[in-house]
Amino acid sequence: MGAQQVAERFTELYGARPEGVWAAPGRVNLIGEHTDYNDGFVMPFALPHQAVAAVSRRDDGLLRLHSADMEGGVVELRLDALAPGTDSAWTAYPAGVVWALREAGHAITGADVHLSSTVPTGAGLSSSAALEVVIALAFDDLYDLGLARWQLARLCQRAENVYVGAPTGIMDQTASACCAPGHALFLDTRDLSQQQIPFDLAAEGLRLLVVDTQVKHAHSGGEYGKRRAGCEKGAALLGVDALRDIAYADLDAALARLGDEEEIRRLVRHVVTEDERVERTVALLRAGDPRAIGPILTEGHASLRDDFRISCPELDLVVDTALAHGALGSRMTGGGFGGSALILAESSEVPSLTKALEAAFATADFMAPRVFEAVPSAGARRLV
Ligand code: ADP
Ligand code: MG
């Protein structure tokens, strides 16, 4: 959705041009899955798909919200009535960000907002973070708050955790706020230190495909909570603040100490090996060897499938089909039980791979997946 189009619709809705237009992208996580609530490493990059918001300030304590992608007209909220748990509609995401800004002591007096997004919802590509971050950046600019990108990400996470009530880590919001084109973001979720790692696949004759299976298995919410609680229990049993504190070299000793806690042992093994996979990926990309990360992605999938147990038949079918048809590597990405998978492949292999996926899904009688190329794109920014 272009900035002009969003600005024009804003003008129709609210009777005046917006003060500005901002964009924030969805993201894909290259590697580092279910590590962010264990204080570990993640490596997302921004998608070209983004949320675009036109915003103007108001001084009468009203927040008016409109989305081109939702039924219904403009929703009008009073700033002093914003409270966690009061809104179960899409408006909770932008309203939650405004609530979090006010909670942090920023003098926000109101706004008119119109937004539109090309990030698919519920596909594990973080449409929610795109929405939060575009609002946070617009308010930071308009109200001259001077917040750093990582601070915006923290506020957005608070909005999602507390106001919306969804227990997510810090990765999605940081990716949307901080990513750079042609790079993946190596993020330490403990201290939020970050490094931009060159990730320009097209220049190497490579492609990264995202395969959105369009399935979301119903039990995903509760299973996320169980994994999270299991990781916390593992850390407690091992006497560390978070599983990030178990060094890869000490993994076997740690597993031995967990004795017959088989479920916890598997969770711990995934998290500790996954952190190590992120570090290996960073080293290979820094050394200019992107093809070599393929097997690491595939190892990551096996760990999520067998140890963390959050894959599903559709995701496994993507990975198995891709590997059988010449992919360099493949893995599920995101929370699991549906959503999307990644495939790293030579550019020349993409047409035959795509055909093989379509055929495999048809044979299995699964819904046809949506396949698109993921080009590492820009993080949040002002457009107009
Ligand atoms: P994900 O972030 O993986 O896409 P979530 O369930 O976290 O999935 O967030 C999706 C929710 O975000 C939607 O149900 C909706 O409430 C909100 N959302 C996303 N995109 C838009 C949009 N363009 N307009 C309004 N709300 C949106
Ligand atoms: Mg989300």
Side-chain angles (χ1 to χ4, degrees):
M1 189 65 58
Q4 280 317 323
Q5 222 177 324
V6 173
E8 275 161 29
R9 184 77 181 110
F10 179 100
T11 309
E12 280 169 25
L13 285 164
Y14 299 116
R17 304 277 306 161
E19 287 185 84
V21 182
W22 291 260
R27 63 95 189 97
V28 156
N29 190 23
L30 179 64
I31 188 83
E33 213 65 77
H34 288 265
T35 48
D36 70 342
Y37 52 84
N38 291 296
D39 279 5
F41 303 131
V42 295
M43 206 175 175
F45 63 90
L47 291 170
H49 307 67
Q50 58 186 13
V52 176
V55 185
S56 287
R57 282 168 292 180
R58 300 177 63 89
D59 56 12
D60 60 358
L62 288 183
L63 176 64
R64 298 199 291 179
L65 300 168
H66 187 264
S67 167
D69 313 308
M70 293 287 157
E71 301 282 322
V74 173
V75 176
E76 191 171 297
L77 303 168
R78 289 203 12 233
L79 291 183
D80 55 14
L82 298 181
T86 56
D87 188 353
S88 58
W90 71 271
T91 44
Y93 294 88
V97 172
V98 176
W99 168 82
L101 284 165
R102 282 166 54 87
E103 276 268 305
H106 302 295
I108 308 291
T109 54
D112 288 337
V113 176
H114 167 65
L115 63 92
S116 177
S117 176
T118 53
V119 187
T121 58
L125 304 175
S126 255
S127 68
S128 60
L131 197 53
E132 292 151 8
V133 171
V134 77
I135 297 296
L137 184 64
F139 277 73
D140 179 60
D141 253 6
L142 285 176
Y143 282 95
D144 217 3
L145 304 179
L147 295 167
R149 293 297 175 112
W150 67 267
Q151 290 175 305
L152 295 179
R154 272 273 185 247
L155 283 164
C156 291
Q157 184 198 14
R158 186 162 154 71
E160 187 148 350
N161 289 173
V162 180
Y163 199 93
V164 178
T168 62
I170 189 67
M171 168 172 67
D172 299 350
Q173 293 84 0
T174 308
S176 188
C178 302
C179 278
H183 290 76
L185 185 76
F186 175 33
L187 176 69
D188 181 335
T189 62
R190 170 162 279 169
D191 63 7
L192 298 192
S193 62
Q194 43 175 272
Q195 295 168 47
Q196 302 286 350
I197 308 296
F199 191 53
D200 185 0
L201 293 174
E204 302 278 343
L206 295 174
R207 295 283 183 276
L208 196 66
L209 301 180
V210 173
V211 183
D212 174 8
T213 64
Q214 304 195 65
V215 297
K216 194 74 209 163
H217 293 288
H219 51 292
S220 56
E223 294 292 329
Y224 176 90
K226 275 193 218 161
R227 299 303 182 286
R228 216 174 151 141
C231 288
E232 278 162 22
K233 184 172 174 199
L237 289 171
L238 292 167
V240 291
D241 287 342
L243 292 182
R244 181 274 176 67
D245 295 312
I246 308 293
Y248 181 67
D250 300 333
L251 176 60
D252 287 344
L255 293 177
R257 282 177 58 202
L258 289 170
D260 58 4
E261 291 272 7
E262 188 49 37
E263 186 68 34
I264 304 289
R265 282 161 58 102
R266 280 201 299 264
L267 298 180
V268 170
R269 186 162 55 209
H270 168 72
V271 172
V272 175
T273 59
E274 186 78 352
D275 273 336
E276 190 269 344
R277 280 186 284 274
V278 177
E279 293 187 285
R280 256 194 291 154
T281 301
V282 169
L284 288 166
L285 290 179
R286 281 227 177 89
D289 193 4
R291 279 177 179 76
I293 73 171
I296 304 178
L297 303 182
T298 306
E299 275 172 43
H301 183 74
S303 181
L304 289 165
R305 182 191 60 208
D306 303 336
D307 271 345
F308 227 64
R309 302 196 176 186
I310 57 170
S311 190
C312 66
E314 293 87 348
L315 291 168
D316 289 342
L317 185 63
V318 176
V319 173
D320 294 344
T321 307
L323 295 173
H325 289 82
L328 295 164
S330 182
R331 72 175 197 91
M332 56 156 287
T333 181
F337 306 107
S340 301
L342 297 177
I343 300 174
L344 180 69
E346 303 289 346
S347 303
S348 56
E349 303 275 0
V350 168
S352 60
L353 258 174
T354 310
K355 271 207 191 81
L357 280 173
E358 281 163 7
F361 270 65
T363 304
D365 217 8
F366 291 156
M367 198 191 329
R370 277 188 296 196
V371 183
F372 63 89
E373 187 186 342
V375 180
S377 299
R381 67 216 178 279
R382 186 170 191 154
L383 300 177
V384 175

